[in-house]
Amino acid sequence: MSGFDKVVESYEEALAGLEDNMTVIAGGFGLCGIPENLIAQIRRQGTRGLTIVSNNCGTDEYGLGVLLVDKQIRKMVASYVGENALFEAQMMSGELEVELTPQGTLAEKMRAGGAGIPAFYTATGYGTPVGEGKEVREFNGRHYILEESIQGDFSIAKAWKADRYGNLVFRKTARNFNPMAVTAGRIAVVEVEEIVEVGALDPDEIHLPGIYVNRLIQGTFAKNIEQRTVRKA
Amino acid sequence: MAMTREQLARRVAQEFQDGYYINLGIGIPTLAANYIPEGVEVMLQSENGLLGMGPFPLEHEVDPDLINAGKQTVTMARGASIFSSADSFAMIRGGHVDLTVLGAFEVDCQGNIASYMIPGKLIKGMGGAMDLVAGADNIIVTMTHASKHGESKLLSECTLPLTGKGCIKRVLTDLALLDIEDGQFILRERAPGVSVEEIVKLTAGPLVVPDHVPEMHDLD
């Protein structure tokens, strides 16, 4: 790595410095656009006591769900835990602390965290368990609750393409939480399908500028599908 | 007779107007996309970052990078656009979506909705539902009128943790279409072959029955 070149050569190097009890913000929605090799690396290196911030916690077999197997996650901040039996079991038994957070609020917490905004008001969650204990203010006759933004020690994300400076292009709905996750990590690690030379991307097509990216690595992806649904020709 | 899932989906689709941007929740709401009325053009918003959701893909079109909020593989319609989750919820919270249809466990006569957890039994998480009910003005809740054991889901006060407070004005069940106004349910339409008496019996919250309650039509 030199200058603006963000490329690292190994997954060990990509997550160097990740220690027990840190907070990791992860991109992805379900199994779509997840940083699957970075997750596998966290499992390999056995980091424990993690707080993970991500919309979902994968499934029992794939995605962040694999970090539940060896109980590496202490706390999960997520909006949906639906189809993950291990998650539900560890949550019910109290082994896993869970902060259920509305999906839009979660996205905004990451966005604000990366944009230097410590908190924001939203109507989402007012009058529900999510709003309990939070400051309420009225604007134009409506009630809003104060939600604090999130920053992570690390963020892990997946993009489609990048140049060596870490300028990112996402593909289809694999974009989801990834851009915000990148901005909200003090050390932002991004894995991509293809790294191109600087100058090969049209500046107008870049979805997220490399200024937010600290480490970049090229990987290969299984891209598992949660609900394969097709129509007949 | 209580309506089938398909009939419910057809009744939902009758609410679609030309030029509407619509967010459809998982289950019956999603089915409504199959019954968009002729001559009506709508664009479906999927909160994971897609506006202009198309039908399910053919086998050879399946793309793991293209899914809907229910995590099913989908396609993109002509004129579709892709964006981040933050942009997606800016659309929703900012009130730019014309119609939201979603499911629930309970609704009460104050417009409260409970849909995301049953303490000690079922934890799903709210996903985008809390943002959708807080951000949209035009919401239809679809659900069964009563549980399998005959317990009403239209209550004076929700018993489960709330997804949103005072935000629901219209409920479509397998028996009836109802509005919520001034702390009361108002019976607007009956499902085909369902009597007012049946609906009254299975509605726990205060219910106003107008002199004439039309039967739903064109559902088959």
Side-chain angles (χ1 to χ4, degrees):
Chain A
M1 260 197 299
S2 66
F4 298 109
D5 193 332
K6 309 290 171 72
V7 179
V8 297
E9 298 305 328
S10 72
Y11 279 93
E12 291 78 13
E13 198 184 334
L15 287 179
L18 178 68
E19 293 168 9
D20 289 354
N21 307 313
M22 281 186 165
T23 295
V24 178
I25 301 181
F29 183 94
L31 298 179
C32 184
I34 55 169
E36 51 184 89
N37 301 296
L38 290 165
I39 294 166
Q41 175 58 27
I42 294 176
R43 180 154 196 212
R44 269 198 302 278
Q45 68 184 50
T47 318
R48 304 182 72 82
L50 293 171
T51 295
I52 304 276
V53 183
S54 172
N55 188 57
N56 315 81
C57 195
T59 64
D60 287 332
E61 287 171 282
Y62 301 112
L64 290 164
V66 305
L67 301 183
L68 293 170
V69 179
D70 297 327
K71 301 183 180 168
Q72 290 174 267
I73 306 176
R74 183 186 65 79
K75 180 180 175 182
M76 190 75 210
V77 181
S79 85
Y80 194 78
V81 299
E83 291 89 15
N84 191 325
L86 200 52
F87 188 103
E88 202 164 331
Q90 289 187 16
M91 179 172 172
M92 290 289 200
S93 73
E95 285 171 287
L96 178 67
E97 189 187 333
V98 178
E99 193 175 314
L100 281 178
T101 303
Q103 197 172 130
T105 296
L106 187 62
E108 193 63 14
K109 276 171 175 266
M110 292 184 195
R111 198 199 67 78
I117 294 171
F120 55 91
Y121 288 100
T122 177
T124 304
Y126 168 72
T128 77
V130 166
E132 276 168 25
K134 288 174 185 161
E135 184 190 321
V136 176
R137 255 187 83 174
E138 209 178 306
F139 297 93
N140 303 317
R142 268 197 91 184
H143 291 96
Y144 296 80
I145 59 173
L146 187 68
E147 289 279 11
E148 291 184 19
S149 65
I150 297 182
Q151 286 183 318
D153 298 299
F154 272 76
S155 59
I156 57 173
K158 151 90 174 43
W160 178 38
K161 281 196 296 192
D163 65 19
R164 298 186 69 91
Y165 284 2
N167 291 311
L168 304 180
V169 180
F170 300 93
R171 185 171 178 274
K172 298 185 179 171
T173 56
R175 187 181 321 186
N176 57 61
F177 281 83
N178 280 298
M180 290 81 67
V182 173
T183 65
R186 284 184 199 93
I187 298 177
V189 188
V190 181
E191 56 174 331
V192 298
E193 294 173 45
E194 187 187 2
I195 297 176
V196 299
E197 287 308 314
V198 175
L201 298 176
D202 180 344
D204 268 337
E205 71 174 316
I206 292 165
H207 294 135
L208 193 73
I211 190 170
Y212 297 107
V213 178
N214 299 98
R215 301 174 190 170
L216 181 69
I217 186 164
Q218 185 173 312
T220 53
F221 297 83
K223 293 195 186 179
N224 292 293
I225 294 173
E226 226 167 306
Q227 308 275 344
R228 191 187 186 88
T229 316
V230 295
R231 71 177 198 277
K232 296 256 177 346
Chain B
M1 270 279 287
M3 283 191 281
T4 62
R5 288 166 58 85
E6 284 68 28
Q7 287 176 312
L8 270 163
R10 282 179 195 272
R11 182 61 193 86
V12 168
Q14 288 173 4
E15 299 292 308
F16 293 178
Q17 291 183 25
D18 198 27
Y20 262 17
Y21 295 102
I22 301 174
N23 183 293
L24 299 175
I26 296 166
I28 289 163
T30 298
L31 270 184
N34 298 331
Y35 305 109
I36 297 165
E38 218 162 297
V40 169
E41 209 179 336
V42 301
M43 210 176 261
L44 302 178
Q45 204 257 16
S46 188
E47 65 263 25
N48 55 317
L50 168 61
L51 188 61
M53 182 165 48
F56 294 130
L58 295 169
E59 189 63 47
H60 72 272
E61 293 175 326
V62 168
D63 183 344
D65 287 341
L66 187 55
I67 63 168
N68 65 16
K71 292 154 193 133
Q72 297 169 307
T73 45
V74 291
T75 57
M76 292 186 280
R78 205 170 62 95
S81 55
I82 296 276
F83 35 85
S84 72
S85 300
D87 286 330
S88 180
F89 283 93
M91 286 172 206
I92 290 166
R93 252 188 275 102
H96 303 280
V97 176
D98 298 300
L99 174 66
T100 290
V101 188
L102 78 173
F105 300 142
E106 295 175 346
V107 168
D108 73 29
C109 61
Q110 302 300 326
N112 299 325
I113 171 173
S115 67
Y116 81 99
M117 74 175 293
I118 301 173
K121 254 171 88 180
L122 175 76
I123 302 163
K124 293 199 313 175
M126 67 290 283
M130 280 195 182
D131 307 275
L132 282 159
V133 297
D137 195 39
N138 189 10
I139 305 170
I140 301 173
V141 171
T142 58
M143 59 183 200
T144 53
H145 207 98
S147 74
K148 287 189 202 99
H149 313 293
E151 289 155 339
S152 179
K153 296 180 178 180
L154 303 177
L155 307 173
S156 297
E157 197 178 348
C158 287
T159 63
L160 298 169
L162 294 186
T163 305
K165 191 174 166 66
C167 48
I168 305 303
K169 296 178 203 150
R170 180 157 268 208
V171 185
L172 176 67
T173 74
D174 52 346
L175 303 182
L177 178 73
L178 309 99
D179 285 338
I180 299 172
E181 283 172 22
D182 305 322
Q184 294 174 313
F185 292 105
I186 301 174
L187 183 55
R188 294 296 183 204
E189 294 178 18
R190 300 174 288 123
V194 172
S195 69
V196 168
E197 289 68 34
E198 282 175 79
I199 296 163
V200 169
K201 206 178 89 191
L202 289 171
T203 307
L207 176 67
V208 175
V209 182
D211 290 342
H212 177 61
V213 182
E215 201 170 85
M216 294 177 204
H217 53 84
D218 297 328
L219 299 180
D220 296 298

